[in-house]
Amino acid sequence: MANILLGGIEGGATHSKLVLYNGKGEKLVDMKGPGTNHWMLGMEECQKRINEMVEEAKTKAQLPLDKPLNALGLSLSGCEQEETNRQLMEELKNKYPQLSDIYVVCSDTVGPIAAALENGGIVLIAGTGSNSLLLNPDSSEHRCGGWGHMMGDEGGAYWISHKAIKVCFDEQDNFEQPPHSTEVVWKAIQEHFNIKT
């Protein structure tokens, strides 16, 4: 049992977390890594980062780099489509045969539910992007969000910043006058971007 090696990566847009366990359930490694959303990085860079993280984990656990993990679970941001999940898995097998014998690929919304509950549940991710999933006991599911910080996430930091800058620009270009003074907001924008006008 000690020879069995199981790995898992919970990956977001900006950072990921990797754990390695042996067959006895003993944690060998727990580490952080870079973002692994293939829509933001491209499939090739995502695969490269996954491989590098697993190699770093193997090194920390004093395991041979050429010995594949028995299984690697990938619960990643952006992995909502079976077709691209299959592509990710197949290309990892072909490019990095020493990485793992078996893969399980799913969305980062599925991983937390599977880890904590047997009969479904609900998860809300509020990170760089927001996403939510309701997984019912009959395996039916409902999603909301997941469009990323540029298209969704109303009320998030990116959206608020973008909106603040746009309100100031619209006022200065005489497109639309805001209902309140933008003096404090415009001063903050100038200081942040080190600009005068």
Side-chain angles (χ1 to χ4, degrees):
M1 291 293 272
N3 292 334
I4 294 175
L5 297 173
L6 307 172
I9 297 177
E10 191 281 322
T14 54
H15 61 276
S16 300
K17 184 168 182 170
L18 179 145
V19 291
L20 283 185
Y21 284 88
N22 65 21
K24 295 179 180 179
E26 299 166 335
K27 188 189 309 181
L28 305 176
V29 176
D30 185 340
M31 59 176 260
K32 292 182 179 178
T36 49
N37 183 311
H38 65 82
W39 294 112
M40 295 179 72
L41 301 167
M43 192 65 80
E44 190 173 326
E45 178 63 21
C46 175
Q47 294 161 0
K48 179 177 170 234
R49 289 181 180 195
I50 290 167
N51 182 63
E52 287 173 352
M53 285 174 61
V54 172
E55 284 188 346
E56 182 180 343
K58 286 179 180 178
T59 300
K60 285 183 177 186
Q62 299 179 339
L63 299 169
L65 294 178
D66 60 349
K67 179 180 176 11
L69 301 178
N70 295 93
L72 178 62
L74 301 169
S75 178
L76 309 179
S77 168
C79 285
E80 279 84 22
Q81 298 175 351
E82 285 305 315
E83 182 180 334
T84 53
N85 292 355
R86 205 170 16 260
Q87 178 188 355
L88 176 65
M89 183 174 55
E90 292 302 322
E91 290 180 7
L92 282 170
K93 285 180 183 178
N94 292 333
K95 290 179 186 173
Y96 306 104
Q98 81 296 344
L99 186 60
S100 183
D101 293 330
I102 298 170
Y103 294 89
V104 176
V105 181
C106 64
S107 166
D108 60 344
T109 54
V110 175
I113 294 174
L117 304 165
E118 291 181 23
N119 296 312
I122 189 166
V123 66
L124 173 63
I125 295 174
T128 304
S130 64
N131 201 352
S132 62
L133 171 69
L134 166 67
L135 182 60
N136 290 310
D138 66 0
S139 297
S140 64
E141 57 182 56
H142 301 279
R143 294 182 176 277
C144 181
W147 294 109
H149 66 283
M150 292 183 71
M151 297 300 291
D153 297 341
E154 288 81 353
Y158 177 89
W159 180 86
I160 291 169
S161 302
H162 180 269
K163 181 82 169 171
I165 293 169
K166 181 74 171 123
V167 165
C168 289
F169 285 0
D170 284 353
E171 177 184 30
Q172 292 171 20
D173 289 341
N174 293 313
F175 287 145
E176 188 175 341
Q177 293 304 306
H180 304 286
S181 170
T182 59
E183 183 180 346
V184 173
V185 173
W186 180 241
K187 185 176 179 195
I189 292 167
Q190 289 174 301
E191 287 175 5
H192 177 78
F193 291 105
N194 194 26
I195 57 172
K196 301 280 186 218
T197 64

